[in-house]
Amino acid sequence: MSKVRYESVMTADRNLAPAEHEEFDSPYTIPNDRYAALTTILHDVGGEPDYPQALYGKGEEDWEMNTYLTCECLAWRGAWNAEMRRRAENDLGKTQYYGFPYYGRWITGAARVLVHKGLITTDELGDKIDEIRARLEKK
Amino acid sequence: MAKHHGDGHHDGHNAFDVSSKVSEFEILELAVRELAIEKGIFSAEDHRRFAEWAEGVGPHGGSKLVAKAWSDPAFKQRLLENGTEACKEVGIDWLQPTGVGTPSDYTFFYVLENTPQVHNVIVCTLCSCYPRPVLGMSPDWYRTPSYRRRMVRRPREVLAEFGLHLPADVEVRVHDSNQKSRFMVMPMRPEGTEGWSEEQLARIVTRDTMIGVALPRADRTSDAGSLAEQAR
Amino acid sequence: MARPKFQVGDTVRIKDRTTLFHTRTQKFIRKRVGTIVEHRPEWVIPEDEAWDRMETGRKEPFYVIRFKQTELWPDYTGLAHDTLETEASESWLEAVKG
């Protein structure tokens, strides 16, 4: 990563606002009610306050449809199951769970579970990502 | 970029950073898929077969079920008693495409019958559980935290936002699809459809009427005109 | 298959158990009282399936529970006869004496 890209990524990262924010990161202690709030299971949103939003259908992009298919094939052939996918989405943490598009949660969870199960390594994943990025950007 | 299963209102908007040449999620998906195929976790043929199945499913499946149930009381009874089994009569097999069902939809399908007293509507507050074999891919709005948060707590407001105002003597029954059951609403046959064929009837049974956020009408054959769609 | 402990028509309360990391029993039904309206087949519970225990996970009967919306939400803005149905596995339920 170039120095310029490093600086811009760090700045963008600092500007992400976690849903629960302390002025002092990694506080020395937290009250129990904050612990309860922070350990709430992410996907359990029923009844949370929200306001009406313009709800429309945009349809799946190619990568989104492919993500659905890849995740289902991984489950079909026993690499994981649908509930592991849903847990993997929760495990992303609030910032990514709400920051990613719907299928972004799926594919990130899939990659993590494959690594966790020892089916691929992070090196293989990283190398493959770099190879594909180079391949696609050359086009 | 090609889109799939849209709602007829598309623009060129990408789901994230449009300034990048190639999206990181597209790269990540390709990486996961290629590694999985190289390592023999699944095959390219598996992916192709699943894609073929996914291209074939859509709300037309559910529309057929409802139109047949409206026309044939005995079929309606079978559909309400054993949804998964009755689906076979219109060519929908919940065991496809793997032989044991899809990993995310399972094989427990229940049809919820609307009556003059009860209006049913479905939501999955925890994620996006949806009966893909009969309705295809869920609409994007169905998966939003906003719909998931609000439909269970303020169903009448949310339905009103979809343009559906239900009378006070109707019970609104929300089904939060939180385990392995999958649901579809069977709306009531509207007036003005007497003597219609099943094909004619199927055209007014749109996706939204089977989620429960709209009612079929003799002159309504698309969800595209709903208030939610217009609100964009 | 285990014999289901509850019958259609039974009044039950959803337990409020500590659940770290993953569950499919929503917060908004915890401690709430509802009525069993349907049986569902016995499945592996999601609390085990989520941890790659599809084959070895604990199986339990599942139930459909119907709640009055006014039982779930103290500030419910709809009508008194509105309801909500959702499912839970047996170990989440406790009998409420009618």
Side-chain angles (χ1 to χ4, degrees):
Chain A
M1 192 180 283
S2 74
K3 278 183 195 166
V4 174
R5 179 159 152 75
Y6 175 81
E7 288 304 332
S8 84
V9 169
M10 286 304 105
T11 305
D13 181 46
R14 274 196 297 273
N15 289 338
L16 286 173
E20 286 283 327
H21 189 69
E22 287 283 327
E23 280 177 47
F24 182 49
D25 289 331
S26 298
Y28 293 158
T29 181
I30 54 168
N32 285 348
D33 60 354
R34 169 137 314 190
Y35 176 84
L38 289 169
T39 54
T40 282
I41 297 179
L42 263 181
H43 67 177
D44 187 8
V45 304
E48 287 179 357
D50 203 343
Y51 50 88
Q53 293 183 1
L55 301 174
Y56 63 93
K58 69 168 183 59
E60 273 86 15
E61 309 280 346
D62 282 346
W63 76 268
E64 294 178 308
M65 201 59 193
N66 281 324
T67 291
Y68 165 70
L69 297 169
T70 292
C71 289
E72 289 292 79
C73 286
L74 286 171
W76 176 9
R77 297 307 183 190
W80 68 346
N81 61 52
E83 205 56 36
M84 291 167 77
R85 165 171 59 71
R86 299 180 188 120
R87 180 172 71 81
E89 291 179 51
N90 286 333
D91 290 350
L92 293 172
K94 260 186 182 162
T95 309
Q96 285 192 1
Y97 186 93
Y98 290 118
F100 281 176
Y102 174 73
Y103 286 109
R105 302 203 305 260
W106 282 46
I107 198 60
T108 309
R112 192 207 295 258
V113 169
L114 292 180
V115 172
H116 187 87
K117 288 193 67 172
L119 294 167
I120 61 174
T121 66
T122 50
D123 289 350
E124 286 172 325
L125 182 62
D127 290 348
K128 182 61 97 176
I129 286 170
D130 290 340
E131 176 205 316
I132 292 170
R133 186 185 296 114
R135 193 203 307 161
L136 294 183
E137 285 181 352
K138 212 163 61 184
K139 271 199 209 166
Chain B
M1 183 174 275
K3 306 229 187 187
H4 305 264
H5 306 288
D7 294 359
H9 283 258
H10 293 152
D11 57 19
H13 176 73
N14 278 319
F16 55 97
D17 188 8
V18 289
S19 65
S20 300
K21 274 184 285 186
V22 186
S23 92
E24 289 295 326
F25 290 123
E26 181 180 351
I27 294 170
L28 181 56
E29 188 281 323
L30 276 167
V32 170
R33 187 178 1 150
E34 289 182 15
L35 284 171
I37 291 171
E38 283 167 22
K39 289 177 176 291
I41 298 172
F42 65 77
S43 67
E45 172 61 12
D46 289 344
H47 200 269
R48 194 200 58 74
R49 260 175 67 190
F50 217 110
E52 196 176 277
W53 175 85
E55 287 293 327
V57 294
H60 57 270
S63 309
K64 242 194 226 175
L65 286 172
V66 174
K68 190 171 169 63
W70 282 349
S71 312
D72 177 353
F75 175 75
K76 176 173 149 183
Q77 206 50 42
R78 293 197 292 279
L79 183 61
L80 294 173
E81 275 164 16
N82 189 338
T84 320
E85 196 60 30
C87 275
K88 292 178 187 162
E89 298 185 43
V90 299
I92 297 169
D93 183 354
W94 281 72
L95 298 182
Q96 290 302 319
T98 69
V100 289
T102 76
S104 293
D105 307 291
Y106 312 99
T107 57
F108 308 101
F109 174 53
Y110 301 92
V111 175
L112 310 163
E113 184 187 16
N114 280 353
T115 68
Q117 289 79 39
V118 179
H119 177 84
N120 297 285
V121 59
I122 58 173
V123 60
C124 169
T125 57
L126 299 176
C127 45
S128 55
C129 298
Y130 192 74
R132 289 185 190 84
V134 293
L135 295 186
M137 306 298 277
S138 57
D140 300 83
W141 53 259
Y142 182 87
R143 314 162 185 160
T144 60
S146 180
Y147 181 79
R148 291 158 50 197
R149 287 174 177 135
R150 298 178 67 239
M151 182 47 93
V152 287
R153 186 167 189 165
R154 305 193 181 282
R156 286 180 187 266
E157 282 97 317
V158 177
L159 291 175
E161 287 154 23
F162 277 93
L164 178 54
H165 301 267
L166 293 163
D169 59 350
V170 172
E171 169 189 333
V172 173
R173 187 175 293 166
V174 177
H175 298 261
D176 186 358
S177 178
N178 72 329
Q179 302 285 353
K180 290 185 173 58
S181 301
R182 296 294 175 265
F183 304 100
M184 184 192 98
V185 175
M186 178 161 71
M188 286 187 291
R189 181 170 176 165
E191 286 174 14
T193 59
E194 295 76 13
W196 284 23
S197 68
E198 280 183 35
E199 289 70 31
Q200 279 177 296
L201 289 170
R203 277 199 283 277
I204 62 166
V205 185
T206 63
R207 181 198 65 209
D208 285 4
T209 70
M210 295 180 281
I211 294 175
V213 296
L215 296 181
R217 283 199 323 249
D219 62 349
R220 183 183 183 281
T221 55
S222 162
D223 293 325
S226 76
L227 289 186
E229 292 287 329
Q230 288 167 17
R232 287 187 62 190
Chain C
M1 184 179 272
R3 209 183 147 78
K5 192 172 147 194
F6 300 102
Q7 301 311 313
V8 170
D10 285 359
T11 306
V12 291
R13 181 183 289 109
I14 313 295
K15 293 179 192 168
D16 186 23
R17 308 152 95 187
T18 294
T19 39
L20 289 175
F21 316 128
H22 196 78
T23 181
R24 295 191 73 79
T25 303
Q26 309 92 318
K27 284 193 297 294
F28 72 84
I29 61 169
R30 309 280 181 97
K31 292 190 195 175
R32 301 298 197 271
V33 173
T35 308
I36 307 266
V37 290
E38 274 179 78
H39 287 285
R40 289 288 189 253
E42 200 174 81
W43 301 322
V44 174
I45 58 174
E47 290 84 354
D48 283 352
E49 189 184 336
W51 300 93
D52 207 3
R53 294 183 57 197
M54 197 67 145
E55 310 300 326
T56 60
R58 292 164 289 173
K59 287 186 176 174
E60 288 183 26
F62 280 69
Y63 301 86
V64 184
I65 302 121
R66 183 180 300 165
F67 300 91
K68 291 177 79 78
Q69 287 278 27
T70 50
E71 165 74 9
L72 298 175
W73 316 107
D75 59 348
Y76 185 65
T77 53
L79 294 163
H81 53 255
D82 290 349
T83 56
L84 180 142
E85 290 185 7
T86 194
E87 297 174 356
S89 67
E90 191 163 276
S91 60
W92 276 96
L93 307 179
E94 59 191 15
V96 173
K97 288 189 187 79

